Amino acid sequence: MNSNGNMVASLLETVMVICFGLSWPLSIRRSLKSRTAQGKSLFFEVFIVIGYLCGIVAKTILHSYNLAYWFYYLNTCMVSIDICLWFRNTRLDQRREKGEKV
C-alpha cells in the first residue's frame, strides 16, 4: 500500500477507535449514577478489553504508534474503570437484596 493509503487507513482506524471510545464515559457515568450492575455484562466488557489489548499488541509488533494506538490505551482504561464499577455495583446490589441500606 502506498503512503497515502497508509495515512487514510490510519486515520480511519483512529476515527473508529475514537467513536467506540465516546461511549465509555457515558457508561462510566451511568454506572456511577445508577449504583447497580443490572443491565451490564461483565463478560462483554472483558471481551472489549481483550480486543483493545490485542490492538495495542498488534500496533506494538508493527511499531505503528499512530494516534489510534494511544486511544486503544485510553479506551482500555475507561472500560477497566467500568469493570471496577461493575464489581462495586454488584456488591451494592447484593447488599440491597439482603435489605441493608446502601
Side-chain angles (χ1 to χ4, degrees):
M1 191 182 302
N2 64 22
S3 177
N4 286 340
N6 286 338
M7 255 181 13
V8 170
S10 179
L11 176 65
L12 291 172
E13 180 187 21
T14 300
V15 170
M16 176 205 67
V17 175
I18 290 170
C19 287
F20 287 163
L22 290 173
S23 65
W24 295 115
L26 300 174
S27 183
I28 290 168
R29 182 175 182 270
R30 180 183 175 271
S31 293
L32 284 168
K33 220 175 160 181
S34 71
R35 298 174 57 89
T36 182
Q38 293 179 355
K40 292 278 190 164
S41 169
L42 177 62
F43 192 70
F44 174 78
E45 290 189 339
V46 168
F47 274 106
I48 296 294
V49 167
I50 291 169
Y52 285 142
L53 292 175
C54 287
I56 291 168
V57 170
K59 293 276 190 199
T60 302
I61 290 170
L62 295 172
H63 301 286
S64 176
Y65 307 108
N66 61 3
L67 191 56
Y69 176 79
W70 303 107
F71 277 99
Y72 281 122
Y73 275 106
L74 179 62
N75 290 355
T76 301
C77 289
M78 288 190 289
V79 179
S80 297
I81 289 167
D82 207 32
I83 288 172
C84 290
L85 289 170
W86 182 90
F87 283 105
R88 179 201 74 161
N89 289 346
T90 297
R91 280 194 308 275
L92 292 174
D93 288 341
Q94 290 169 347
R95 287 175 59 195
R96 271 191 290 275
E97 285 176 13
K98 291 179 182 176
E100 296 176 22
K101 188 171 181 159
V102 290

